[in-house]
Amino acid sequence: MITLLTDLDSSYPLWLQISSVAAWVGFVLSLAWVVSRTVSKDTEILRKIVHIGTGNVILLAWWLDIPAILGITASILAGAITLLSYRFPILPGINSVGRKSLGTFFYAVSIGILVAWFWYLNQPYYAALGILIMTWGDGSAALVGQRFGKHKYTVLGGQKSWEGSLSMTFVSFVISSLILYSVQGNIWQTWVVSLIVAVVATVLESFSFLGIDNLTVPLGTAALAFYLNQVMYVTHLTN
């Protein structure tokens, strides 16, 4: 049975863990509000600020050893709020009423699943890898694609650009490399796994119907990195 309270004996006090996360989320939402009032009311820009900003909470959860139960609870609450926002103007500028995408909801769900999975395995860095690839990789793909994307292609009715996809590959590789290097060092598996994960992340991101990439990218990349490292480790031991 999964014990979600095993991290409650963290060296960091619970009040510090919660207040740190709350302070960061408050900062991100405040930044989005200021931008909407002073710079741009473009809802896509506001969504990307919140998308990229809130995703980095996973780093705080990892570094501060926040209990899994807190991350899962926050994910459930965020998911419920985003579902309601599709019917009511709870999150104007982030989710518009009737918006034909469940991306924000899938984003919250993916965080909850990854926290439950990899906190239980005591390998939270895989959860961070998946979420940050979605956070920064997808965010960069959208921004680069909108600004510089001149070579378009279509997947299941959704239009992408090669420039945006290449940005997704590059950023995903950098994030995966940094995280794996920090936990397993400068070994060949770090770079090979990161390259494979980056390519797969780009393929998954290209299928973004109804925002499903916000679920498939973080879950797929985290699971792939975990699986490849297990396989390569066993192969190394048997050789």
Side-chain angles (χ1 to χ4, degrees):
M1 181 177 179
I2 298 177
T3 302
L4 298 178
L5 296 176
T6 54
D7 292 330
L8 285 176
D9 59 350
S10 168
S11 58
Y12 295 98
L14 189 60
W15 68 266
L16 177 60
Q17 295 171 329
I18 295 175
S19 61
S20 296
V21 170
W24 177 255
V25 172
F27 167 75
V28 171
L29 295 179
S30 297
L31 177 62
W33 183 84
V34 170
V35 169
S36 70
R37 291 291 186 273
T38 61
V39 180
S40 173
K41 294 184 179 295
D42 187 336
T43 56
E44 191 60 32
I45 291 177
L46 298 180
R47 272 194 291 270
K48 289 308 174 186
I49 290 175
V50 175
H51 174 93
I52 293 174
T54 55
N56 289 287
V57 164
I58 196 68
L59 286 175
L60 288 175
W62 172 20
W63 295 339
L64 296 177
D65 195 22
I66 287 178
I69 190 64
L70 294 183
I72 295 169
T73 301
S75 171
I76 293 172
L77 291 175
I81 291 172
T82 55
L83 282 181
L84 288 173
S85 72
Y86 292 113
R87 295 291 303 273
F88 307 100
I90 298 175
L91 300 173
I94 299 175
N95 275 342
S96 55
V97 175
R99 185 169 178 248
K100 297 179 179 180
S101 173
L102 293 172
T104 308
F105 171 70
F106 289 143
Y107 196 27
V109 170
S110 65
I111 292 176
I113 292 174
L114 289 177
V115 167
W117 183 2
F118 289 108
W119 257 247
Y120 170 64
L121 295 177
N122 290 320
Q123 295 177 311
Y125 42 87
Y126 285 114
L129 183 149
I131 295 301
L132 291 179
I133 284 179
M134 187 66 232
T135 296
W136 289 99
D138 178 72
S140 68
L143 295 175
V144 170
Q146 291 168 9
R147 183 70 181 269
F148 305 105
K150 300 187 182 302
H151 302 86
K152 307 291 186 179
Y153 66 95
T154 302
V155 178
L156 296 180
Q159 191 175 73
K160 300 289 183 176
S161 73
W162 287 108
E163 292 84 355
S165 293
L166 287 174
S167 174
M168 176 73 180
T169 304
F170 174 74
V171 173
S172 298
F173 176 75
V174 170
I175 289 172
S176 182
S177 297
L178 289 174
I179 291 178
L180 294 181
Y181 179 83
S182 73
V183 296
Q184 63 190 32
N186 184 21
I187 57 177
W188 67 269
Q189 289 94 331
T190 294
W191 316 112
V192 172
V193 170
S194 295
L195 180 59
I196 296 173
V197 165
V199 172
V200 171
T202 304
V203 174
L204 292 175
E205 193 274 336
S206 66
F207 296 90
S208 55
F209 179 70
L210 290 179
I212 192 66
D213 56 321
N214 279 9
L215 188 66
T216 59
V217 170
L219 296 185
T221 55
L224 181 61
F226 173 73
Y227 173 75
L228 289 176
N229 268 329
Q230 302 308 305
V231 170
M232 291 179 179
Y233 179 71
V234 171
T235 302
H236 174 73
L237 291 179
T238 57
N239 289 334

